[in-house]
Structure formats: structure tokens, C-alpha cells
Amino acid sequence: MDQPLFVPQRMEIVSVTDEVDSHDILTFELRPLDGEIAPYLPGQFAELSVFGVGEATFGYASSPHETETVRFSVKRMGALTQELHRLGVGATVGLRGPLGNPFDLARFEGRDLIVVGGGYAFTTLRSLIAYLLTDAQRPKVGHISLFYGVRSPGLFLYKEELARWEKAENFSLHLTVDAADENWKGPVMVVPALVEKVAPDTRNAVAVICGPPPMIKYTLPVLEKLDLKPEEVFISMEMKMKCGVGLCGRCNLGPKFVCKDGPIFTLKELRELTDVY
Amino acid sequence: MTRTNTSDSRFLLRDDLTAFLSALSERCELWIPQAVGEGVRFLPYREEALLNLDQTPPDHPAKSILFPNTETLFRYERTEDGAITLIPQETTNQPLALFGARSCDIRAFDALDAVFLKRSAPDTSYRQRRNRLVIIGFGCLDPAATCFCERMGGGPFDEAGMDIQMIPLPEGYLFRTLTDRGKALIAPLASFFKEADPVTASQAEALRRKGAPHPDGAAVDFAALKAAVEAGREEPFWESLAAVCLGCGICTFACPVCSCFSLVDEGALKGGRRIRHWDACMFSVFTREASGHNPRGAAVDRVKQRFFHKFFYSLENGEPPGCVGCGRCVTQCPTCIDIREVIDHFQPGEG
Ligand SMILES: Cc1cc2nc3c(=O)[nH]c(=O)nc-3n(C[C@H](O)[C@H](O)[C@H](O)COP(=O)(O)OP(=O)(O)OC[C@H]3O[C@@H](n4cnc5c(N)ncnc54)[C@H](O)[C@@H]3O)c2cc1C
Ligand code: SF4
Ligand code: SF4
Ligand code: FES
């Protein structure tokens, strides 16, 4: 008999990291109790189970080169995320994944990357950048400009890693906050404004955006002004999900399913599907 | 599927039907249309069940045999030390027989197959039941005023998808065996049948060819309907439907084609189960996210979703249209929203 579609793989929580000053985003590191880690690529997601509560959708925050475990950074929102936050090291959760399409890395080859992110959706960009910075992948892409904004400095995810990226070659890191504290020396503005101000060179670039809907909405016109073509802007979409495999009928944008045909779409594809953006 | 020679027709006397079903139920998991409370629905056979072949169509669609209203996907158990065991659902190879379903419900299985078997990862529990399924369909003698299966490409005596077609006649039923699977199902029950005499056979054949008296209406041109719906996405017409829709979801639960579902856990710390149950795009919480954001937050978005899915998205994705014309949503909608009016609005002048 084949593996039942909706029975998850059991995973053990091996570490929990409190990421931000508001203590509402925890990173869970998971190791399989059954079988192996199913191969995945940046941009894909999984359904995590808390048994007795249900499932919810999270993008892989780990990168495929980190082979022992997988990681997800989870913001406390509703029923499942609250229960997940109560679980500690040693607890068992379930994983169904990878689901959805990854970033089409072949289309990034030989190009500069403009990466724009905000909020918890930054998890997916962390996976992408960590992967692209591996020795095997780094030569394939050109300059990487990362724009990342949060409300206040204590809310950046993966602070140590950001500090390392700041020093990476052929990489520019642009962090911004909505409200500074006494130690903040960087810009104080929303992400789209910062992208506009920095105006990265787009002649050989593709853009990747992942963040809350308003951030995406106001960044798109800026990218267009910078002459990026809709087919070269990659957006990670979010819709409420249950099945993650195109069956439950919840996450469609027109005839496409965000879970099955996405979550990564080009701006061109999105324009044909919906008038949301 | 192998189709056998259509001359393989046998006759079952009306008075022998009860004994036949009882004997059949010993050989398979048998579902029959039965009167329950105030409605007629397909449920597993029981000796005391009240068979009802007369209501056209039964209030509840036959889809529940393949896609149960509520289904356990697996159980979980948690031991004292916190370890969790997952127990998948047990499976069986016993044939699953659907008796007495009309052609509309059976044509709808094509649409369910397109979703659960072909759209992406095959749904293993659906496939398991689908592979076990044998269908004894029922020729439909008196379509309701709300039936419009012919407009949707079917017909009361359409045999597509059936393993056996049962044709009701004054003294009993002619069983036309259409596939090897159908043949195998009733072969051990040969003693219940007699050879169809030539008069009976020609009566049945005449019925089958002529069809039953059926409400008029031009056949729907799906490509044209799709284009018209797509072009009419901003029409005020949708607002007129949204203004009366209660968002109760009855139209989707009653529909043999609708297949949206949810996955939820039921249970306590020590153990429980994950279930799948029918859900409806007509509920506002269907798409409401944890942040409160809702891409289909307004009633008009949900009304459009229902009809766009049926007449535009399905076709765009190469799946069958989302309506077989059973008329259930027409009769059961508390505010009388009529899908035929939607079709006529976008395909005027052909009715
Ligand atoms: C592709 C994708 C990637 C995501 N990645 C992350 C991530 O890396 N980190 C993170 O913290 N959050 C992520 N989310 C959002 C996360 O799925 C929701 O915050 C989470 O489902 C809320 O669940 P809940 O049970 O706590 O909330 P409730 O409001 O109680 O939700 C009940 C159920 O509704 C569904 N649901 C509700 N909101 C959403 C939503 N926004 N998206 C999908 N399903 C939803 C889930 O099935 C959930 O269990 C992602 C969402 C998507 C679609
Ligand atoms: S949409 Fe209405 S008429 Fe069409 S198949 Fe579904 S319930 Fe029947
Ligand atoms: S049955 Fe009628 S009122 Fe209820 S959701 Fe469907 S269209 Fe709306
Ligand atoms: S989450 Fe079920 S269809 Fe996309």
C-alpha cells in the first residue's frame, strides 16, 4: 500500500530559539523520528502538525545544505502556533512536506539579485540566501542586495547571521526600521522607500519579494520604476491553507492554487490571475 | 474498463429486489438510497433501511461513498512519556457497491476523479475507495422540474461510468451489465434473475433510447459559457446574487461535484484523530487567515468563487465542468438562488 497522503512524518524538536524582543517568533529545529528529511529547496513550505490541534503552513527557514535537521520560524498567531510555542525540546510534531514550488534558481543564474523582505516571511528569504551563499551556489549568481525591514530593531530575525552577511562579498545589506531605538544608526523608513532611495542597479537583476501584503503592494511600483520586468519579479504568496496539495479548494487565485502552483509566482503570472496586486 | 456485450441483460422481479439486495450486501460493502428523517440519502445497507428509488434526485448526492462527509485520516496516541504513535486508517479490498444512483451523480465522479486522482498528488483514501467501487446505476424515469442534466451533456438514461445500468419497468428491473466488473459483482447472484423476454427487452430499449420526458433548455456550450463568465467578472449581476445569499453552504454540500474540505484534529492530549470533513467556499471563514486578512471577505467574492470554479477555473484546468445539472442546489437553496439563471444570464437566447 502507498504512503497515505495526509499522514505526516513524525519529527522531534531538537532546539527552540527565541528570535525577537517581542518573544513571539520561535525557531524550531526538527529531526525526523521516521525516515529521512525529504529533499527540499528554498521557497518551499511544509504543513506542521501539533497532534490534537491540527496543522499549519510554514516556509522552510533552513537551507538544503543543512542536512541534519530542518528549521521553521513560527510567529505566534492563533490556535496551532500558540500550542506549538508551548512545546519544548523532545516533543513530537508532524511534518508534511516539502510542498509547493521552490524559487526557480535556474532563472537567477548569472543575474544580480534584489531581495526584499519583511515580517516572518523573511524565513523563506533566509533559506534562499543561506543556500545561495554556499560555496556550490555562490558563483552562480552575481551581486545580492538584501532589503529587510521590521518595526523596531529588536524584531530582526537571525541577527547573528545578518551580521555575517553584512561582511559577505558582493553582498549589500540594507536594513530598515519603522521606529528607531537609541542604538539604531540605520535608516528609519518603510522597505519600499528604502528600495527607492538606494535604487539598486537593475540592468542585470531579478527581484524576489516575500513579506506582508502591504509591503509587497508598495514595493512593486518601485521595482517597476527601476525598470524590472514583471517576469523577473518573483513573489512568494500567502493564502490560508489546509491540504497544501491543491485539493481542499481554499487557496486558489483564479484557476491556480497557491499551494500547488505557487507559492512562488512571477509578477507577470500574478497580474494574469488576479487584480490583488 | 472492459465493456461487455450489451446483450447481457437480465430481469429482476420487483418482488425479488429486497432479497437481492440482502444477498448482495453479504458479498460487498453496499450503499443504497434510503429514506432517513425527512430526506433520502446514500448510506450503507442495513436490513431495516427504507430503500427509496423514487425520489429524483435523492436529497443528498452519492459523492459521500467516495468522499465521506467526515473521514478519519489517522489516529494518534500519546504515551505517558510524551511519545506519539500514528495509526493510519485500516484499508480493505472488499468491493464497494453503489446501488441506485442516477446518471447525474455518476457523471459527477468524473469531476471528483479529476480533483482527487489527477490534479496533483493522488488522494490515497479516495483512490482506495474508487478502486473498490462498482456502480449499479439507475435509469431515471421521472426527472424533476429542476433537473437539467441534458443541458449539461448528460441524460436520465446516460450510462457513462456505470458498471450495470438498471432500467425500471412495470414488473421489475432490467439489469444491463456494461463491464466485467459489473458482471463479476452479480454473477454469484444469478439465481435471482431470469432471462429478459423479448417484449421486456424491447420496452427497456425504447425507454433508454427515447429518454424520459425532460424539461427543455438548450445544451450548454461550455467554451462559450466559460468565456462569457470570464468576461463578465465585474458585472453587477453577481451583486444581485450576493445580496440574497446567506452563506449557508447548502448549495455546496448538496452538490455531487463540490469537493472542498477541511482537515481538523479531534481529541485530547492522550489520543485522538485527524479528520477530513466537507467544507464550503461559501463560508467566510473558509479563507480567513490568522491575521484577520480575508481574500474572499465579501459575499460577492464567494458567490463568484462558486460559479467561477464551476464554469471557468475547472475548464481552464482541463477538468470537467463543475455542474452536472442535478438541480439540488436549486431546490435546496433557502433563498432560491438558481444556477440555471446564472447559465442563462451568460448564455442568453439559447433556451
Ligand atoms: C506559504 C506560507 C508560508 C508561511 N510561512 C510561515 C512561516 O515561515 N512562519 C510563520 O510564522 N507563519 C508562516 N505562514 C503563516 C502561517 O501559516 C499562519 O500564521 C498559521 O497558519 C496560523 O495558524 P494558527 O493555527 O496559529 O492560526 P488560526 O487563526 O487559529 O488558524 C487556523 C488554521 O487556519 C489556517 N491558516 C490561518 N492563517 C493562515 C495563513 N496566513 N496561511 C496559511 N494558513 C493559515 C491554518 O490551517 C491554521 O491552522 C505561512 C503561510 C503560508 C501560506
Ligand atoms: S451546481 Fe447545483 S445543479 Fe449543478 S451539479 Fe451541483 S447541485 Fe447539481
Ligand atoms: S444555498 Fe443559497 S443561500 Fe446558501 S450559500 Fe448556497 S447560494 Fe447562498
Ligand atoms: S491548501 Fe488546499 S488547495 Fe491549497
Side-chain angles (χ1 to χ4, degrees):
Chain A
M1 227 211 51
D2 36 29
Q3 171 64 27
L5 182 60
F6 290 111
V7 178
Q9 179 182 25
R10 293 179 312 154
M11 308 290 279
E12 181 187 9
I13 299 177
V14 292
S15 77
V16 181
T17 312
D18 185 358
E19 296 281 0
V20 291
D21 287 0
S22 51
H23 308 294
D24 59 351
I25 302 184
L26 301 181
T27 296
F28 294 87
E29 185 180 13
L30 311 176
R31 185 167 51 210
L33 290 170
D34 316 312
E36 314 260 293
I37 292 173
Y40 65 96
L41 282 171
Q44 290 188 290
F45 63 89
E47 291 292 331
L48 293 189
S49 289
V50 175
F51 297 104
V53 185
E55 285 183 323
T57 316
F58 304 98
Y60 285 84
S62 47
S63 154
H65 75 282
E66 298 156 338
T67 51
E68 299 293 303
T69 56
V70 287
R71 271 171 296 143
F72 296 90
S73 299
V74 176
K75 184 173 160 88
R76 191 168 64 236
M77 296 292 292
L80 184 127
T81 49
Q82 269 170 30
E83 281 309 313
L84 187 55
H85 274 220
R86 287 203 188 107
L87 298 181
V89 170
T92 303
V93 295
L95 181 150
R96 272 197 303 124
L99 303 168
N101 66 359
F103 289 106
D104 187 352
L105 297 176
R107 292 177 66 185
F108 297 179
E109 274 188 31
R111 313 293 295 271
D112 295 336
L113 280 187
I114 300 168
V115 182
V116 185
Y120 64 69
F122 188 70
T123 56
T124 294
L125 297 178
R126 187 271 155 194
S127 175
L128 175 69
I129 291 169
Y131 185 63
L132 292 177
L133 293 182
T134 57
D135 292 341
Q137 301 300 321
R138 190 64 189 93
K140 295 185 188 167
V141 292
H143 187 86
I144 300 175
S145 316
L146 171 61
F147 296 84
Y148 175 24
V150 291
R151 267 177 300 148
S152 60
L155 299 181
F156 285 109
L157 286 164
Y158 320 127
K159 294 181 193 70
E160 286 171 19
E161 210 160 17
L162 290 175
R164 266 184 279 132
W165 292 351
E166 185 152 33
K167 301 192 192 83
E169 271 181 45
N170 214 3
F171 193 111
S172 16
L173 180 66
H174 305 280
L175 302 181
T176 180
V177 297
D178 297 343
D181 61 14
E182 58 275 20
N183 298 321
W184 181 253
K185 302 200 176 58
V188 180
M189 62 181 79
V190 294
V191 173
L194 183 62
V195 178
E196 186 158 23
K197 178 158 171 261
V198 172
D201 185 347
T202 58
R203 274 167 302 175
N204 182 36
V206 298
V208 174
I209 316 182
C210 206
M215 191 208 83
I216 299 180
K217 183 172 168 189
Y218 294 111
T219 302
L220 289 176
V222 176
L223 295 179
E224 269 192 309
K225 249 206 250 166
L226 294 172
D227 274 345
L228 276 156
K229 295 194 200 73
E231 60 271 30
E232 311 215 300
V233 176
F234 297 82
I235 305 173
S236 177
M237 295 297 293
E238 203 181 307
M239 282 233 343
K240 179 164 173 173
M241 293 185 181
K242 285 284 175 185
C243 72
V245 288
L247 302 180
C248 76
R250 207 168 257 87
C251 72
N252 67 301
L253 287 173
K256 300 270 189 224
F257 293 90
V258 173
C259 64
K260 173 174 84 73
D261 305 305
I264 319 292
F265 294 93
T266 64
L267 178 58
K268 181 163 183 275
E269 289 167 332
L270 283 181
R271 291 241 163 97
E272 284 159 13
L273 291 174
T274 146
D275 38 26
V276 177
Y277 291 105
Chain B
M1 190 164 298
T2 344
R3 301 195 82 85
T4 61
N5 188 325
T6 48
S7 69
D8 189 9
S9 294
R10 296 151 190 228
F11 195 70
L12 180 73
L13 280 173
R14 189 170 298 269
D15 287 346
D16 293 338
L17 181 60
T18 311
F20 166 76
L21 288 176
S22 173
L24 184 61
S25 75
E26 314 254 301
R27 320 195 68 85
C28 60
E29 182 186 336
L30 173 65
W31 287 48
I32 62 170
Q34 40 193 285
V36 182
E38 298 191 348
V40 175
R41 60 197 295 186
F42 290 87
L43 285 172
Y45 174 86
R46 292 167 304 128
E47 286 289 342
E48 62 281 15
L50 299 169
L51 173 72
N52 183 320
L53 282 171
D54 300 327
Q55 185 175 311
T56 314
D59 301 278
H60 293 229
K63 72 177 172 188
S64 48
I65 194 170
L66 287 174
F67 174 48
N69 319 35
T70 302
E71 160 184 25
T72 301
L73 297 168
F74 62 86
R75 295 178 178 280
Y76 66 90
E77 275 170 18
R78 198 184 315 251
T79 49
E80 296 278 309
D81 61 357
I84 290 198
T85 325
L86 302 184
I87 308 142
Q89 262 318 83
E90 278 180 30
T91 57
T92 156
N93 290 322
Q94 201 194 18
L96 178 61
L98 174 61
F99 173 86
R102 286 165 167 76
S103 70
C104 51
D105 276 3
I106 295 164
R107 289 182 64 233
F109 292 168
D110 280 349
L112 297 180
D113 287 351
V115 174
F116 291 114
L117 300 180
K118 298 176 197 153
R119 188 186 278 165
S120 71
D123 187 294
T124 42
S125 51
Y126 178 93
R127 181 167 67 188
Q128 223 263 331
R129 284 186 294 270
R130 188 59 164 126
N131 288 341
R132 293 165 53 212
L133 190 67
V134 196
I135 300 171
I136 305 182
F138 188 65
C140 189
L141 267 190
D142 75 283
T146 45
C147 289
F148 58 106
C149 58
E150 282 175 330
R151 291 191 68 189
M152 306 311 275
F157 282 86
D158 181 9
E159 65 194 39
M162 297 180 185
D163 296 292
I164 295 174
Q165 186 186 38
M166 233 175 117
I167 297 184
L169 292 166
E171 269 85 56
Y173 307 93
L174 189 82
F175 278 57
R176 298 177 60 233
T177 307
L178 304 169
T179 66
D180 288 343
R181 187 179 269 234
K183 197 171 180 180
L185 182 73
I186 57 167
L189 303 170
S191 62
F192 284 95
F193 295 94
K194 49 181 204 163
E195 279 310 307
D197 62 70
V199 179
T200 312
S202 67
Q203 260 180 336
E205 194 54 22
L207 256 185
R208 199 166 69 78
R209 290 200 186 283
K210 178 162 85 48
H214 201 261
D216 292 332
V220 167
D221 173 347
F222 287 107
L225 179 61
K226 170 177 179 277
V229 167
E230 187 175 0
R233 76 164 65 231
E234 299 308 330
E235 281 194 26
F237 172 73
W238 300 113
E239 295 287 351
S240 72
L241 300 183
V244 291
C245 174
L246 305 173
C248 67
I250 288 174
C251 50
T252 68
F253 295 127
C255 179
V257 178
C258 282
S259 62
C260 288
F261 61 83
S262 188
L263 303 170
V264 295
D265 281 16
E266 212 179 59
L269 209 55
K270 276 172 69 182
R273 57 179 189 148
R274 177 153 306 153
I275 59 174
R276 152 156 71 189
H277 65 79
W278 293 357
D279 206 343
C281 62
M282 303 304 281
F283 296 154
S284 71
V285 294
F286 190 63
T287 48
R288 188 162 72 214
E289 293 164 18
S291 62
H293 173 69
N294 192 345
R296 298 201 281 264
V300 69
D301 303 327
R302 301 190 287 273
V303 167
K304 283 190 197 178
Q305 166 66 20
R306 176 174 164 232
F307 293 109
F308 275 43
H309 183 196
K310 290 189 176 298
F311 297 134
F312 170 21
Y313 305 153
S314 297
L315 299 161
E316 179 78 11
N317 289 330
E319 296 176 1
C323 175
V324 293
C326 75
R328 288 184 178 95
C329 61
V330 179
T331 48
Q332 294 182 36
C333 173
T335 62
C336 303
I337 290 179
D338 189 334
I339 192 167
R340 295 170 302 179
E341 288 170 15
V342 177
I343 296 170
D344 292 338
H345 178 86
F346 289 102
Q347 278 203 329
E350 291 183 42

